[in-house]
Amino acid sequence: MALPTSWRSTAKSTRISLAALIVTSSVVLVLKVHNLNKLEEPTKLHDITIPYIQLIPRHAITHPWVFVTSIFAEITILSYLVSATVLFFATNYIEKFWGYKEVLKFIVLVGSLTNLTTVMVAIVSNIFRNDVRGMDQPLGGGISYFFGFLVVLKQIIPEHNVVLFQGLINFRVKHIPFILLVIVSLWSLVISRSLYPAVPSVVSFFVSYNYLRFYQTFATDPLLPVTSVSGDQSNATITSGDASDAFSLVEFFPSAIKGPTSVVVNSVYDVSVLLGIVTPFNDEAVEQSNLRAQKISEQVSKANRSIANSVAERRRQVALQVIEDRVGQS
């Protein structure tokens, strides 16, 4: 049976990541039901865990592959739908700029490092709080890469405005990560009263930012400020990271707290350079990154104008068709 046109036209990274989500979550569900049927005592399906697929703090060290598999292991319908929606739209959009290999690499890298850090924090926290039950609580899932995608959007379309309720709410994309980090932190503090989901959200944010800022490699055209992470690199120079001013960490924060935040960020950066963790940017790298950011911004603006013109043209054609129908009936 042929696949629907809409599915065949989706990005390759979208199809692969959604397939991973569907297969992994389905396998977890089937195994949960299978184990439930073997139990004699009444047990909730949610309480059954699959330690060789899910991220369980007690078993994660002996099953290291779960740092990857748990990225796509969802155990509730809501989390599954949210992850599927995020993967569908985010990968479809980002692949236009990166290519499918880099998108998949980003998901696995950010997700696995976030899961690893989350488990380490959870184990230490459970030991100090003497929380035995917490060692068996499943972690992971889409929360490990949600904020990573937000950082990418901040990099690609930082000045894009999000307008809701006919202009009643208006904010820029670059402020979304900070707003959501505050929300999940308050959620963990007031509602869940645990380190989850604040820890994986914060870790995902910083892991993705540091990867994009210092380590992601680009093939830079020697004549034009155009980059590619997946194209032909035979006549290009390889550069690492995004040194543009618009992508500095302080740009994620509101203007009111940029002053004190910049002091902390600059201090951490200086120490990281001193320890050799990151390579300092020179003036040429900053200039090239600024040119790349400007070029991408122009590409996005051009694409948005094209979409707007296409929508306007379709509306015009519909209006003309309505007028013709009315004239024909009169």
Side-chain angles (χ1 to χ4, degrees):
M1 184 177 66
L3 291 174
T5 303
S6 58
W7 174 252
R8 288 188 285 112
S9 62
T10 56
K12 190 172 183 178
S13 61
T14 304
R15 299 197 299 269
I16 295 175
S17 58
L18 285 179
L21 175 67
I22 294 171
V23 171
T24 306
S25 299
S26 299
V27 170
V28 170
L29 177 60
V30 170
L31 292 175
K32 277 173 168 281
V33 173
H34 176 71
N35 291 344
L36 179 64
N37 293 332
K38 294 193 302 182
L39 296 176
E40 296 180 357
E41 298 180 358
T43 306
K44 294 182 179 180
L45 184 65
H46 181 78
D47 295 334
I48 299 176
T49 59
I50 311 298
Y52 46 88
I53 298 180
Q54 293 179 276
L55 186 65
I56 312 298
R58 185 186 301 277
H59 304 283
I61 304 302
T62 57
H63 301 81
W65 57 85
V66 299
F67 295 118
V68 176
T69 59
S70 61
I71 296 173
F72 305 102
E74 300 293 355
I75 58 176
T76 67
I77 296 178
L78 178 60
S79 62
Y80 175 83
L81 293 176
V82 171
S83 294
T85 302
V86 171
L87 285 174
F88 180 83
F89 288 103
T91 55
N92 248 317
Y93 184 75
I94 298 172
E95 185 173 315
K96 300 175 184 178
F97 302 92
W98 286 5
Y100 81 94
K101 290 183 179 179
E102 180 64 20
V103 174
L104 296 176
K105 173 185 173 183
F106 179 81
I107 295 173
V108 173
L109 178 66
V110 172
S112 58
L113 289 178
T114 298
N115 287 338
L116 173 62
T117 307
T118 302
V119 162
M120 294 173 62
V121 173
I123 291 175
V124 173
S125 174
N126 292 331
I127 291 175
F128 274 98
R129 294 185 295 119
N130 196 25
D131 185 2
V132 178
R133 185 179 179 184
M135 296 294 289
D136 297 311
Q137 293 296 318
L139 305 174
I143 193 70
S144 62
Y145 56 77
F146 287 165
F147 277 85
F149 282 139
L150 291 177
V151 175
V152 177
L153 293 179
K154 160 67 174 73
Q155 182 188 41
I156 296 175
I157 49 173
E159 301 303 324
H160 183 75
N161 284 340
V162 177
V163 180
L164 302 175
F165 306 112
Q166 297 182 343
L168 183 62
I169 299 177
N170 188 349
F171 53 88
R172 291 181 177 178
V173 168
K174 66 180 182 180
H175 294 146
I176 295 179
F178 177 80
I179 295 172
L180 292 183
L181 280 176
V182 171
I183 292 175
V184 296
S185 298
L186 291 175
W187 180 283
S188 291
L189 183 65
V190 178
I191 299 178
S192 67
R193 296 183 180 275
S194 67
L195 298 176
Y196 198 84
V199 169
S201 299
V202 173
V203 173
S204 176
F205 171 83
F206 282 105
V207 168
S208 57
Y209 174 79
N210 280 281
Y211 170 69
L212 297 176
R213 181 69 167 176
F214 300 106
Y215 301 108
Q216 186 183 43
T217 56
F218 290 90
T220 306
D221 190 294
L223 300 177
L224 298 173
V226 180
T227 58
S228 172
V229 293
S230 60
D232 181 18
Q233 302 179 358
S234 57
N235 296 321
T237 57
I238 305 301
T239 58
S240 298
D242 182 354
S244 63
D245 296 323
F247 196 56
S248 62
L249 187 58
V250 294
E251 293 300 322
F252 284 84
F253 297 89
S255 301
I257 61 174
K258 278 186 179 180
T261 303
S262 63
V263 175
V264 177
V265 170
N266 291 335
S267 299
V268 173
Y269 174 75
D270 292 338
V271 173
S272 300
V273 171
L274 183 63
L275 296 177
I277 299 175
V278 299
T279 302
F281 297 122
N282 53 36
D283 293 339
E284 182 181 358
V286 175
E287 182 180 357
Q288 286 293 324
S289 294
N290 286 334
L291 290 174
R292 287 203 308 268
Q294 182 180 356
K295 185 68 176 180
I296 292 176
S297 178
E298 292 173 355
Q299 292 174 348
V300 172
S301 298
K302 183 178 180 180
N304 290 338
R305 286 196 299 269
S306 176
I307 294 173
N309 292 337
S310 177
V311 172
E313 178 62 23
R314 287 198 298 270
R315 289 178 176 175
R316 188 183 69 84
Q317 292 177 357
V318 171
L320 289 175
Q321 184 63 43
V322 171
I323 294 174
E324 291 177 358
D325 292 341
R326 289 178 179 176
V327 172
Q329 294 174 358
S330 61

